[in-house]
Amino acid sequence: MTQPKSILLVTADPERMPSLRRSLALLQPVRTLCLAEPLSLDGVGQDEAAGHAMVPDGDIAAIVSLVAPRGEGRIRQLRSAFEPFRLQHTPILCLIAAPTQRDEVQARALGAAAVLGADSSCRDLAAALRPWLRDAGGSSNTGATSAAAADVGLAIADMLAAAMQGSCITMQAVVEASDIMLEAIAEDGIHAWLRLVSNVDDRTYRHCMTVSGLVAAFALALGFSHTDCDRLTRAALMHDIGKGTIALEILNKAAPLDAQELAIMRGHASVGHDLLVAQGAHDAQHEAMTLDVVRHHHETLDGMGYPDGLAGGAISDPVRIVAICDVFTTLIGCRPSQSGLAGHDAFRIMQEMQGKLDTHLLALFSRVFDRAPPWPPP
């Protein structure tokens, strides 16, 4: 199978690069070039370094530039960097903070095929890039389930970004992602979903997509109504929204977390719940399930979970379902400090977790598990 071409991310803002890169990677592989001052590549000057670092090799499908085309030196640097790609007709998307008409004219003069605001959502960014990526090689953007996985990932990316920035979460995007996921899993099954999600580099996105996919498949296997499937899947999509406030250094830490980091990580359940309550979009009765799942998905039946130490009948069935899928996903290895277990071994461990998980629901979960392929996928 031909490897898909890459998106080249060019930025002068190293702090913005990780978050933008992780979102773009949901579409296709990403290569990066930072033009932060002072740029140096093997001792050569800035203009020469930019040109040398970006010599086209046929592997670039599109360029995303997060560099404001302002100032004679920066414009000269960008012109030198983009010129080889213009000759190969590689599309360039320029992202500009608070763009002025002059900025857009200058970006177009540098070869930009499109200009967007730097605060554009991941979904808007994807919409601009997809026409250029569709035929860029590989199979990452072919097939309904593959497209669905990318759309769900982008919705999660926007949701976590909103949590990080303290801005309002766009619930319509979450609703659409839930519908897309349910349709894809109903059509192609959990097998296809897990295979695609296993290729997502970002562990937080991969975890959220795996948990919500398993929850959707579980609800479908149990014969829930469309409305109940949608409500539960939506809650699962949002269950880790509080992680949007946690630094990537903690989320992606390869070594075990220390006590302080573990406390921060464990705080994501209550933080996520408080974020949703504060924005006031979850007062409706049908959204009470989401609030419940977000806050309580780490509670255990023996009362040893967090943040509220709920036990037994105080833990709702939706929370119990999401908790089972969350534990399974964690055991198969979504934490960087874990090597991951085979699916059957993970399920065996869950069966041995006496008093923590709902044994009846866990037995029913085997209906989904038995239909899923060995983990990790071949």
Side-chain angles (χ1 to χ4, degrees):
M1 182 183 297
T2 304
Q3 287 296 108
K5 292 184 177 182
S6 299
I7 299 169
L8 181 62
L9 171 59
V10 182
T11 179
D13 183 0
E15 293 184 359
R16 176 77 189 275
M17 181 183 285
S19 59
L20 185 56
R21 180 189 177 108
R22 69 197 293 236
S23 299
L24 291 174
L26 292 165
L27 300 171
Q28 283 187 195
V30 179
R31 295 165 60 181
T32 57
L33 176 66
C34 184
L35 300 185
E37 309 276 17
L39 176 66
S40 177
L41 182 69
D42 297 330
V44 301
Q46 287 190 23
D47 293 346
E48 188 180 350
H52 177 72
M54 298 179 68
V55 171
D57 58 6
D59 185 45
I60 303 299
I63 296 172
V64 175
S65 174
L66 188 63
V67 182
R70 299 173 185 170
E72 182 179 347
R74 184 64 82 192
I75 290 173
R76 186 173 65 251
Q77 188 182 43
L78 288 170
R79 184 178 295 113
S80 175
F82 292 163
E83 187 61 26
F85 291 94
R86 290 180 61 184
L87 296 175
Q88 290 197 354
H89 306 289
T90 303
I92 300 169
L93 170 63
C94 282
L95 305 179
I96 305 173
T100 64
Q101 184 176 10
R102 181 177 180 181
D103 288 334
E104 180 163 355
V105 169
Q106 186 61 65
R108 299 282 184 180
L110 288 169
V115 179
L116 289 177
D119 59 351
S120 297
S121 71
C122 296
R123 285 155 58 91
D124 289 341
L125 189 57
L129 287 170
R130 272 187 170 138
W132 305 333
L133 304 179
R134 188 173 298 123
D135 300 316
S139 60
S140 63
N141 288 302
T142 60
T145 300
S146 178
D151 285 338
V152 170
L154 291 165
I156 291 171
D158 280 332
M159 182 178 64
L160 294 176
M164 177 182 66
Q165 297 162 6
S167 56
C168 189
I169 295 152
T170 306
M171 287 306 303
Q172 183 60 34
V174 179
V175 171
E176 291 174 3
S178 174
D179 289 340
I180 290 169
M181 179 187 297
L182 280 166
E183 183 176 351
I185 292 175
E187 181 71 23
D188 292 333
I190 191 63
H191 303 78
W193 185 263
L194 293 181
R195 281 196 296 270
L196 286 165
V197 171
S198 70
N199 294 320
V200 175
D201 288 334
D202 188 277
R203 292 180 177 91
T204 302
Y205 297 165
R206 187 169 70 238
H207 179 88
C208 291
M209 294 169 73
T210 303
V211 171
S212 53
L214 287 169
V215 167
F218 199 176
L220 289 167
L222 293 175
F224 285 8
S225 69
H226 175 76
T227 298
D228 287 341
C229 283
D230 184 63
R231 291 170 62 202
L232 187 55
T233 301
R234 194 186 317 166
L237 276 167
M238 303 185 73
H239 82 284
D240 268 348
I241 189 172
K243 287 184 178 178
T245 65
I246 299 176
L248 291 179
E249 291 77 9
I250 295 178
L251 289 175
N252 296 332
K253 185 177 180 181
L257 301 179
D258 62 31
Q260 182 178 8
E261 292 166 338
L262 185 59
I264 293 172
M265 183 67 84
R266 286 192 167 196
H268 78 273
S270 56
V271 167
H273 173 270
D274 293 346
L275 281 172
L276 295 181
V277 170
Q279 84 165 24
H282 293 260
D283 294 334
Q285 183 177 357
H286 71 278
E287 294 299 349
M289 181 189 294
T290 297
L291 292 173
D292 187 22
V293 166
V294 169
R295 184 173 185 88
H296 296 133
H297 63 278
H298 285 293
E299 303 285 1
T300 57
L301 296 181
D302 61 4
M304 300 301 291
Y306 61 89
D308 298 320
L310 300 184
I315 302 175
S316 68
D317 285 344
V319 169
R320 297 179 188 213
I321 289 172
V322 174
I324 286 171
C325 296
D326 187 56
V327 170
F328 181 78
T329 300
T330 299
L331 287 173
I332 61 178
C334 276
R335 282 292 301 158
S337 59
Q338 297 172 330
S339 57
L341 298 172
H344 288 283
D345 290 334
F347 187 60
R348 175 180 50 78
I349 289 174
M350 293 169 69
Q351 290 175 313
E352 295 172 354
M353 293 172 62
Q354 297 295 329
K356 293 191 177 294
L357 301 174
D358 187 303
T359 55
H360 175 65
L361 286 172
L362 186 57
L364 295 175
F365 178 67
S366 67
R367 298 180 186 179
V368 177
F369 175 80
D370 288 344
R371 296 172 187 173
W375 192 277

